[in-house]
Amino acid sequence: MTASTGSRKPIGVGIVGLSADGGWGSRGHVPALRAVEGYELRGLAASSARSAERAAQRYGVAAAYSDVSDLAHDENIDLVVIAVRVPRHRELILPVLEAGKAVLSEWPLATGLAEAEELALLAQRYGVRTAVGLQSRSAPAVRYLRDLIADGYVGEVLSTTLLGSGGGWGPAVGSGGAYTVDRSNGATLMTIPFGHTLDALTMCLSSFTELSATTATRRPTVRVSDTGESIPMTAEDQIAVSGRLASGAVASLHYRGGSSRATNLHWEINGTDGDLVISGNTGHLQFGQFEISGARGNDQQLSPLPVPSRYQEVDGVDGPAGVVAHAYAQLREDLHTGSSTVPGFRHAVEHHRLLDRIVRSAETGTRQ
C-alpha cells in the first residue's frame, strides 16, 4: 500500500507525450500515477490540438495543450513529465525549466553527454527540481539486493558478472521502434537496457574507477517487421565491458541485441562469504521482472530470496508500470520533504558520462 499523504496538497501532473493511440505514457505512467496516492493527472501536451483533445478524452484529463509552454504555465500543474522519444527531450524540457516547474524526464535524459550537461546546468540556474526515469533503482527487488550486499550477505564483494539481452536490436524491429537502431537518436541498446541495468549495478555495488570496452554492430541491416523494409542499424548490438569498481571488485558485463534461447539475464555477485544471483527473461532490469537467489556460509546450493513486503510500497499495478509507480512514490516524498531519493539531472549527467567513457574506450581501444 502507498503511504498516507495525510493533508498534503495533491501534486498536479502534466504529461508530455500521452497519446490516445497508446505508448509508454499510457502503459507506464498513467497506471503508475493512478496507483500512487497524492498525485492528480491534470493536463497533457501533444503534437497537435486534435491529438491533445483525443488523449484528454481517453484519459479523462481536464487540460489539453499543443504547446508545452502552455502546459508548464498552467497554475494547476506542479510536475511536468516528459515521456517522448529522446531526440525531442531537450526542446520540450527547456520551456518547463523556464517556467520554473518541477520536471521528470524519461531516461536517457538526452541524446548525448553535452546535451545532458546543458540541461542540468539550466535546471540549476532556474532552481528547478528535476527527476530522471532511472526507475530500476526504485524497484523493490533492486533495493533489497542493495541492502543484502550492504548488510554483508556475501561478505566483501570480490567480483560481479552480468550477461543480458536487449530484446530489441535483433534481426527485426517494428516501425514504431525503428528510430532506436539509429545511434544518433540516443535510444539504443547502450543507453536503454544496458544503461538502466548499469545504473542499478553501480547503485548496488559502486561505480567504475577504470574500464575497458569492446562494442560492435554485428547486424548492420535489420528488417522492419510490419513493412518488410530493410534499414541500416548504426547502434551497437554487442557491448562488452570489464574493469574495476571503486570497491575494488572486478566487473564484467556483456549485453547483446535480440533475445537468447538460453539466457537473457544472469547477474552474479560473488563475495568472500557468499553469492547472489539475479535471473530473468529480459535484460531490461528496469522492468523489475527478475528473481534473486543466494547462498552463503555452509550453503551448498542457491535458495530463493523473496523480496520482503516492507519493500513493496505500492499495490495494484504490476510489471514495468509497477516499478514506475515505486519511483513516483519516492518522488512524491522528495517533492514534499526535499529529500533526493529519485535521481535528478545531475545524476543523469554522471550516468551519461559513464556511458561516454565506455563508448570512448570502445572507439579508441584504450582503458578509461
Side-chain angles (χ1 to χ4, degrees):
M1 297 179 63
T2 59
S4 173
T5 59
S7 59
R8 291 173 176 174
K9 178 183 176 182
I11 298 167
V13 179
I15 299 181
V16 182
L18 183 57
S19 170
D21 298 322
W24 179 239
S26 63
R27 291 186 291 109
H29 289 273
V30 171
L33 286 166
R34 288 173 176 168
V36 181
E37 183 182 354
Y39 287 100
E40 291 181 357
L41 180 54
R42 296 174 179 168
L44 60 85
S47 56
S48 68
R50 175 58 183 153
S51 296
E53 290 169 3
R54 287 182 60 228
Q57 291 174 0
R58 175 172 176 179
Y59 302 108
V61 178
Y65 300 99
S66 58
D67 190 309
V68 176
S69 182
D70 292 337
L71 175 68
H73 283 91
D74 187 325
E75 62 181 9
N76 293 313
I77 301 299
D78 305 303
L79 171 68
V80 177
V81 175
I82 307 297
V84 298
R85 294 179 177 181
V86 183
R88 298 201 63 203
H89 281 190
R90 179 185 179 277
E91 67 176 282
L92 297 175
I93 291 172
L94 287 177
V96 181
L97 298 179
E98 292 167 356
K101 291 291 176 71
V103 57
L104 164 62
S105 172
E106 273 293 354
W107 172 263
L109 173 59
T111 56
L113 176 59
E115 195 173 278
E117 290 175 331
E118 177 195 12
L119 291 171
L121 183 62
L122 288 172
Q124 183 178 8
R125 182 180 302 167
Y126 286 113
V128 171
R129 184 58 185 263
T130 63
V132 66
L134 285 164
Q135 67 266 19
S136 62
R137 59 179 49 226
S138 300
V142 173
R143 289 160 40 223
Y144 178 45
L145 178 64
R146 174 199 59 194
D147 291 347
L148 282 170
I149 296 164
D151 292 342
Y153 184 93
V154 301
E156 181 183 359
V157 177
L158 301 173
S159 66
T160 186
T161 308
L162 195 155
L163 175 67
S165 300
W169 304 278
V173 63
S175 56
Y179 80 105
T180 64
V181 306
D182 183 342
R183 183 180 178 187
S184 66
N185 286 329
T188 63
L189 177 72
M190 175 76 76
T191 61
I192 299 178
F194 180 81
H196 276 287
T197 304
L198 180 63
D199 186 57
L201 183 149
T202 58
M203 170 189 164
C204 292
L205 300 172
S206 59
S207 194
F208 282 84
T209 55
E210 56 183 87
L211 61 85
S212 296
T214 300
T215 63
T217 304
R218 298 289 292 138
R219 290 188 174 98
T221 303
V222 297
R223 179 175 55 85
V224 181
S225 57
D226 44 333
T227 68
E229 176 188 9
S230 292
I231 59 174
M233 179 159 71
T234 57
E236 306 91 339
D237 59 9
Q238 299 289 328
I239 303 167
V241 180
S242 64
R244 190 184 303 274
L245 304 180
S247 66
V250 172
S252 175
L253 300 82
H254 181 196
Y255 257 66
R256 59 273 179 102
S259 296
S260 169
R261 295 173 180 83
T263 304
N264 288 306
L265 178 66
H266 182 88
W267 176 15
E268 288 193 27
I269 300 164
N270 309 111
T272 54
D273 300 328
D275 304 286
L276 288 164
V277 175
I278 297 86
S279 57
N281 199 36
T282 173
H284 290 258
L285 195 79
Q286 74 275 17
F287 292 167
Q289 298 170 328
F290 58 88
E291 297 177 343
I292 302 173
S293 56
R296 59 177 173 170
N298 294 323
D299 298 338
Q300 296 300 308
Q301 293 184 330
L302 296 170
S303 298
L305 294 172
V307 180
S309 59
R310 65 180 180 275
Y311 290 90
Q312 193 71 31
E313 301 175 38
V314 182
D315 294 331
V317 57
D318 298 317
V323 181
V324 177
H326 278 82
Y328 271 118
Q330 293 177 337
L331 180 59
R332 178 193 61 203
E333 297 309 303
D334 286 347
L335 293 173
H336 282 305
T337 68
S339 55
S340 301
T341 303
V342 174
F345 284 10
R346 289 180 62 185
H347 176 82
V349 167
E350 291 305 312
H351 198 46
H352 271 288
R353 188 167 288 131
L354 175 56
L355 294 175
D356 194 57
R357 288 169 61 197
I358 292 170
V359 170
R360 285 203 313 273
S361 177
E363 289 177 345
T364 64
T366 59
R367 196 167 186 83
Q368 298 291 314

